[in-house]
Amino acid sequence: MEHVADPYARLLETYHDLNPSFISYAFGPPTPLQFAAAVRNNRPMIFRDALYDADGEEWDARRLWTKEYLLEKMKGREISVAETPWGNADSVIEHAEREVFVKPHTTTQPFDQFLEDVIAGSHLTPSDLDGTKTVKYSQSQDDNLHGEYEPLLQDVPANLHWAAEVFGEKPDAMNLWIGNQNSTSAMHKDNYENLYCLIKGSKTFVLISPLEVGTLRERTLPSATYRPGEDGRLEVVLDVGEDGREEVVHCWPTVDPESPGVWGETEEWKAGRRYEVTVTEGDVLYLPAMWYHKVKQECGEDGYCVAVNYW
């Protein structure tokens, strides 16, 4: 890398010199010692074909979670569903000539209807999304495997045994995610150590180190929510508090690292580095707390993508 004068860019240059330019991976569940090394390094790592319990048995979810099984186990249950016009939940968009942070319209729906809608939507391409249809995603992130998805809890372990020995405590949350390729997660960060486990389909993560926060232009933005309009289409409605003032979200990244040319705009971007990794069925991605990530997904023949994560 060419020498740059900006002190922050020099800091990133040094950081990159001291760290590999790739995300490491290993095959099978790690030992606690191997996983502890990944945690100590504070870098993401992929464990391929790692969904096995402490007795070496493959997760029941890998074998059982067919469409028919899910419908039978979740029969009669309603779930929380995030709806957006473009699959862009929790993202920055242009609205009324300014950038706003928009949240999905959240509703409840019988699980069987939700899954049918997700599968039907898997045949849509981005050009088919013209605002007249909605993209549905199950992303409640509220420990939903102990809540609305409780009938499926028995099919996954209560913890990853090798992680339990390192963290020394139970997960704060176990979340189930179901959607199709039209749902994406915009660049963001979480304050939890995250173990992301793929059951069906695949997910591609764009990862950026917390040290590179200066490249993502975090800003305070007006907060908004998608809400159904009179014609049924989802509209952007600004969030207003009880005091009548606009609500805001703080420290949200406003740069999409996949936008053409963005990595050459400034000295910081020229010095910046992103990683792109694909997590496939049976894999576990260890994502350290505060690492930025953007997520896209692809469905298999089933027409839906399913993941479980431990926070």
Side-chain angles (χ1 to χ4, degrees):
M1 180 182 295
E2 295 181 2
H3 177 75
V4 288
D6 183 88
Y8 179 63
R10 291 205 310 273
L11 172 64
L12 295 184
E13 182 177 6
T14 301
Y15 174 74
H16 296 151
D17 287 343
L18 295 173
N19 288 276
S21 59
F22 55 87
I23 298 299
S24 300
Y25 66 91
F27 287 97
T31 65
L33 184 61
Q34 290 170 326
F35 181 59
V39 174
R40 181 190 65 235
N41 292 336
N42 192 42
R43 289 182 57 82
M45 187 169 181
I46 297 178
F47 300 100
R48 304 283 188 196
D49 190 26
L51 298 187
Y52 296 88
D53 63 23
D55 297 322
E57 298 293 329
E58 188 175 49
W59 284 19
D60 288 341
R62 292 285 321 276
R63 173 175 49 87
L64 294 176
W65 283 7
T66 63
K67 173 185 174 182
E68 293 73 22
Y69 180 86
L70 294 175
L71 292 175
E72 177 61 30
K73 296 293 288 187
M74 292 292 293
K75 187 175 182 179
R77 296 184 72 94
E78 293 210 346
I79 62 163
S80 175
V81 178
E83 290 188 82
T84 57
W86 323 110
N88 57 323
D90 299 332
S91 62
V92 179
I93 65 168
E94 291 284 339
H95 174 68
E97 299 184 349
R98 60 175 174 168
E99 288 184 323
V100 302
F101 170 80
V102 64
K103 303 183 294 294
H105 171 58
T106 302
T107 185
T108 58
Q109 186 176 20
F111 177 80
D112 57 352
Q113 185 60 60
F114 162 74
L115 189 60
E116 292 291 349
D117 291 345
V118 167
I119 294 172
S122 68
H123 303 293
L124 300 177
T125 65
S127 61
D128 296 322
L129 301 177
D130 58 4
T132 61
K133 309 175 183 68
T134 62
V135 178
K136 297 184 177 181
Y137 195 24
S138 176
Q139 55 152 36
S140 48
Q141 306 172 53
D142 56 357
D143 195 27
N144 61 21
L145 269 168
H146 286 99
E148 59 192 11
Y149 285 109
E150 190 272 337
L152 302 176
L153 183 62
Q154 65 185 17
D155 299 331
V156 298
N159 204 338
L160 298 175
H161 59 281
W162 38 269
E165 292 195 34
V166 175
F167 293 137
E169 56 187 17
K170 294 180 179 179
D172 285 351
M174 294 172 60
N175 300 307
L176 181 67
W177 307 70
I178 303 179
N180 60 38
Q181 78 285 348
N182 290 312
S183 292
T184 61
S185 297
M187 184 62 68
H188 67 286
K189 62 182 182 291
D190 300 309
N191 60 349
Y192 280 104
E193 298 287 293
N194 191 351
L195 290 160
Y196 206 91
C197 311
L198 251 291
I199 310 295
K200 286 186 177 292
S202 66
K203 300 210 177 197
T204 297
F205 289 73
V206 176
L207 305 171
I208 295 179
S209 162
L211 190 65
E212 312 211 24
V213 56
T215 70
L216 291 169
R217 299 182 197 143
E218 289 190 338
R219 293 173 51 206
T220 296
L221 298 171
S223 174
T225 305
Y226 282 117
R227 303 191 188 280
E230 293 183 359
D231 61 357
R233 295 192 182 196
L234 294 179
E235 301 175 349
V236 177
V237 178
L238 292 174
D239 298 329
V240 178
E242 294 182 358
D243 58 2
R245 306 173 75 177
E246 287 185 356
E247 296 182 353
V248 298
V249 61
H250 298 289
C251 300
W252 194 267
T254 61
V255 171
D256 182 351
E258 294 186 295
S259 295
V262 72
W263 288 90
E265 289 183 2
T266 65
E267 286 295 298
E268 291 89 351
W269 280 109
K270 291 176 185 178
R273 175 181 290 170
R274 70 173 186 175
Y275 305 89
E276 184 169 311
V277 297
T278 298
V279 185
T280 58
E281 293 182 5
D283 295 349
V284 179
L285 169 66
Y286 165 58
L287 185 58
M290 306 306 288
W291 269 73
Y292 294 90
H293 51 289
K294 175 182 178 179
V295 192
K296 299 178 292 185
Q297 57 191 0
E298 291 293 335
C299 304
E301 295 180 356
D302 299 295
Y304 54 93
C305 184
V306 184
V308 169
N309 85 296
Y310 297 80
W311 270 340

